[in-house]
Amino acid sequence: MKVVIADDEPLARTRLRSLLNDMPGIELVAEAGDGHQALQACAEHAPDLVLLDIAMPGMDGLEAARHMATLEARPAVVFCTAYDAHALSAFEAEAIDYLVKPVRAERLTAALDRVRTFRAGAARSATALDGATPPSAVDSAPRSHLCARLRGGLRLIPLDEVRYLFADEKYVVVHHAGGEDLIEESLRSLEEEFSERFVRIHRNCLVARDRIVELRRSPEGQVTVILRAVEQPLEVSRRCVAAVRETLLQL
């Protein structure tokens, strides 16, 4: 079983590493100090299990688990945390187990057994799933980033830097401060999740509400929206004009 340890505390990583060294059939492939590094380790090593802390700087463990749930080689997650108050959120994130620090050897062993059982069941049902998108995790915890898959890694895109989202066949193109990236999520699901942040201007486009500068109407009656730091005006469908105008009035 390939394992990644993700914890911002070196002593906690050392303890887990020591416990794993005494357990047969375990290969520690990487260690990470935050959620971003944990996702990169998953992209590089395709681990079977991530031992994941929750309270970490930057991207915390709950958000990292949500992104891990979208990976093609989705790892099992076991949370390791000093706080039992996160237990409900952890299981909403479809964690296999929840260990409270300091992690005891017998509890870690039991968690690894649960992961093995889970992996065996997942393998049996893989054909039945037939490539279906894995369920989203932590619906109650809004994401702060979008995750784009790159060859050999992942790119985390802060939502604050996203200017607009454009549907292109089965992908969505994220236009952001650093350029453009493709993500494998539907525009509809993004609209539902981030309805307070984005407004639909067309059946294939969502724009960041706080980027809207003005609406323009051409002599032919075509309405476009101007976004801050976006050169090209974007077409607004007739059905969406009222909602965009209302958003502009509220800014």
Side-chain angles (χ1 to χ4, degrees):
M1 184 190 304
K2 295 191 295 183
V3 179
V4 167
I5 295 173
D7 198 306
D8 64 315
E9 299 178 3
L11 290 178
R13 296 199 302 271
T14 298
R15 177 173 177 80
L16 286 173
R17 187 190 318 121
S18 177
L19 292 175
L20 292 173
N21 284 339
D22 296 332
M23 297 179 179
I26 299 298
E27 179 188 2
L28 180 60
V29 295
E31 296 185 19
D34 57 39
H36 190 175
Q37 292 178 11
L39 286 170
Q40 293 292 350
C42 288
E44 293 174 15
H45 301 284
D48 303 299
L49 166 65
V50 180
L51 296 173
L52 186 61
D53 188 21
I54 291 180
M56 295 186 290
M59 178 182 292
D60 66 18
L62 291 173
E63 183 171 353
R66 183 168 191 160
H67 290 300
M68 289 174 191
T70 70
L71 297 176
E72 184 175 354
R74 178 182 181 180
V77 171
V78 170
F79 283 112
C80 304
T81 178
Y83 308 99
D84 57 9
H86 294 299
L88 178 59
S89 295
F91 287 110
E92 287 176 348
E94 301 173 25
I96 303 301
D97 209 339
Y98 182 91
L99 307 180
V100 177
K101 299 176 183 177
V103 176
R104 293 179 289 114
E106 57 268 29
R107 279 292 290 120
L108 181 57
T109 298
L112 294 177
D113 288 341
R114 294 187 67 181
V115 171
R116 291 187 181 97
T117 300
F118 168 79
R119 290 179 60 216
R124 287 193 297 268
S125 61
T127 302
L129 288 173
D130 193 27
T133 302
S136 61
V138 203
D139 291 336
S140 60
R143 287 183 286 173
S144 60
H145 295 72
L146 296 177
C147 186
R149 300 183 196 178
L150 306 176
R151 181 174 298 179
L154 302 170
R155 174 174 291 148
L156 293 173
I157 308 166
L159 282 168
D160 289 342
E161 296 182 5
V162 176
R163 295 164 180 171
Y164 66 99
L165 305 163
F166 189 86
D168 184 8
E169 297 182 355
K170 67 175 182 177
Y171 299 100
V172 168
V173 183
V174 183
H175 296 260
H176 55 91
E180 301 177 6
D181 285 290
L182 296 177
I183 60 173
E184 297 180 19
E185 300 188 52
S186 72
L187 202 65
R188 177 177 296 181
S189 66
L190 292 167
E191 180 181 25
E192 291 174 354
E193 183 177 356
F194 303 114
S195 59
E196 295 185 358
R197 186 180 290 269
F198 298 101
V199 61
R200 184 177 288 272
I201 65 166
H202 199 277
R203 63 181 177 82
N204 59 1
C205 188
L206 303 174
V207 303
R209 294 176 183 271
D210 61 359
R211 296 274 177 174
I212 298 176
V213 175
E214 64 175 299
L215 284 175
R216 292 180 182 174
R217 186 184 297 273
S218 72
E220 295 77 23
Q222 176 60 57
V223 178
T224 57
V225 65
I226 308 300
L227 302 183
R228 178 165 44 87
V230 176
E231 293 184 8
Q232 182 67 31
L234 301 176
E235 178 183 351
V236 181
S237 68
R238 292 182 180 179
R239 179 181 300 180
C240 297
V241 168
V244 180
R245 182 179 291 116
E246 180 65 24
T247 296
L248 188 57
L249 291 173
Q250 294 174 1
L251 295 178

